[in-house]
Amino acid sequence: MAATIRDVARVAGVGLGTVSRVLNNSPLVSAATRQRVLAVMAELRYNPSQIARNFALGKTLTVATIAPFFTRPSVVERLRGIEATLTASGYHLVVFNVEAVERRDECLREAVRNDRADGLLLVSLAPRPDEAVALREAHLPVVLIDTCAEGLPGVSIDDVAGGHLATSHLIALGHRRIAFIGDPETDPLTFNFTSSRDRMLGYQQALAAAKLPLNPAYERHGLHGRYEARVLARELLHLPEPPTAIFAASDTQAMGVLEAARDLHLPVPEALAVVGFDDIDIAEYLGLTTVRQPLFESGARAVELLFLLLSGAAPPPAERLPVELVVRRTSMKNR
Amino acid sequence: MAATIRDVARVAGVGLGTVSRVLNNSPLVSAATRQRVLAVMAELRYNPSQIARNFALGKTLTVATIAPFFTRPSVVERLRGIEATLTASGYHLVVFNVEAVERRDECLREAVRNDRADGLLLVSLAPRPDEAVALREAHLPVVLIDTCAEGLPGVSIDDVAGGHLATSHLIALGHRRIAFIGDPETDPLTFNFTSSRDRMLGYQQALAAAKLPLNPAYERHGLHGRYEARVLARELLHLPEPPTAIFAASDTQAMGVLEAARDLHLPVPEALAVVGFDDIDIAEYLGLTTVRQPLFESGARAVELLFLLLSGAAPPPAERLPVELVVRRTSMKNR
DNA sequence: CTGTTAGCGCTTTCAT
DNA sequence: ATGAAAGCGCTAACAG
């Protein structure tokens, strides 16, 4: 049905190799023949079969990305960065959205078993040691985003510094009773995923640096989500000595905190200051003070690292992107 | 390096075909040989090459999705539905995010030229007539989501009914001066993309049905976005006779309206009622009254239709999913 | 039931 | 500079 390279060769009266060479812009073909071949291609409406080419080359020009929770705005923003960079180089992006542990494991296993992608991007997901081994054995290049793992290239941020930034901002505002709301301390889905934990670490360090007491009752953990954070915040605010400020490990969770404040008719920032993390799109709308991290860029940069790997370079070291405090209404000076 | 089907055949002492049959769970192989082959496969750590299989089969087990604006929560939700359904059937999802007209055209052209996907899903994007022809000629099955086009299968909603629903709700609440904010009336990116226009049509019909005057000054159009809608809403609210209610063609735009109300210190819903469209995740948080449409399901259903096409069935007719009014704080009874 | 053979469409030697 | 030929790893007839 569709014309093949063979048809082109026959009609143009040249050999198979020559057509292939024209296809690949090889300099080893005279201008005259090239013109003729090109003409025949146009005449026959010839389309090179990508799939045959992939097969012959042993490459797919495709990169797979596994990410938990498409729905999180921060993840979507990273994906945008990935897609833009990949597409600009003619690569395709196939995505996997994992919302349960079994799927996480299965996706990773599939990615290794199949040769349907030349490389793998892992968002907020670190391979377990055994998975890392399998990846290496399959010669499947991987770049991590938003996590780190021994010996694997990745792009992340300094979450400890970010947590420190948020907390010392609140301290500078005069707050003394500052609480933290973050993800569960261990989560099988995001194995080894330390961003919430590190942000808490930064929070603790900032408190310590200001000689403020660490109150375990002020540290709450729950599933990443507005609703869960709202419940936790309500608990905090019902404490005999409630916090005057809450640092949430993500903007989504900060939104839950704002809801809780609204539930209890606590004016923000007067009665409660709130700081989030990520600076997702909606943060500006909410007037939410937050720690901004370069989400789009993290995806773009990860793709660049993957290309390096694909070109045969040695695994580059993990990179850190900068964070920045963005002060908005929810943490204005009020004391 | 990696074991091939040939190695397995040799070691197991069987023919190539037998191994292939085992691979494909053909019943035409005795339990005994199957066991033996399976054992050798395990021993050799054999992984069938998907890419070779794709080549031989002339299929990619991949579906491409082109969508404008990843960032829109409604689009993300549809993608979730697509991914879940596709992955459940062993298909891969490759995504293209188009944010400019040129990219839109290029992606579509590429999708037709390449054979890197077995089918195509178009979100909020209708092919131009010439593109539709090219699609057909390339035998590339397409399903539309959130749009309609002559003779192409798709899943959408009744936007006119949705607009009517929203508007008559406001009318029932006692509103007489109701404005509309929607997307530009023509947009080269989303060619033929009529959802905003149809919602306005429903709005107009509801007004007419209630014998309310159609005031052209109450119909505003701007780029889909919070900021743009905020500007438009501010204009509306500065009119000599400002509307007491605004129906926005999307929740995102409704958020802009809420911002404008806040800017002008207009209490919602007392001084201004607001209704959006889509019922994205954040709508509940905002207490936004809106018209809910099944976003996840639209993606899932589109994949099912595509599978039908892929299995050689005749193009099914376009489908409509139901819409539903969700009343929340921004449109409580107040007059 | 099973082995053999002929491609799928392209890239890539290797001669010429 | 160009043609011929040998695969890439698998599927799918085709004989047995």
Side-chain angles (χ1 to χ4, degrees), chain A residues 5 20 46 48-49 53 57:
Chain A
I5 205 177
S20 174
Y46 166 74
S49 160
R53 144 178 290 224
L57 252 32

Side-chain angles (χ1 to χ4, degrees), chain A residues 63-67 78-79 81-83 86 93-94 96 108 111 117-125 140-145 153 155 298-307 309:
Chain A
V63 167
T65 299
I66 306 181
R78 294 190 207 272
L79 284 175
I82 295 173
E83 194 273 346
L86 237 27
L93 166 63
V94 351
F96 297 95
L108 221 45
D118 296 340
L120 187 61
L121 257 25
L122 257 27
V123 177
S124 302
L125 233 44
L140 185 66
V142 193
V143 174
L144 308 181
I145 300 177
V155 3
S298 73
R301 186 63 191 143
V303 171
E304 287 170 8
L305 294 184
L306 190 57
F307 281 161
L309 250 30

Side-chain angles (χ1 to χ4, degrees), chain B residues 281-297:
Chain B
D281 190 53
I282 192 93
E284 189 198 349
Y285 176 83
L286 298 173
L288 178 65
T289 294
T290 191
V291 179
R292 170 186 300 162
Q293 64 166 318
L295 296 167
F296 184 96
E297 290 76 7

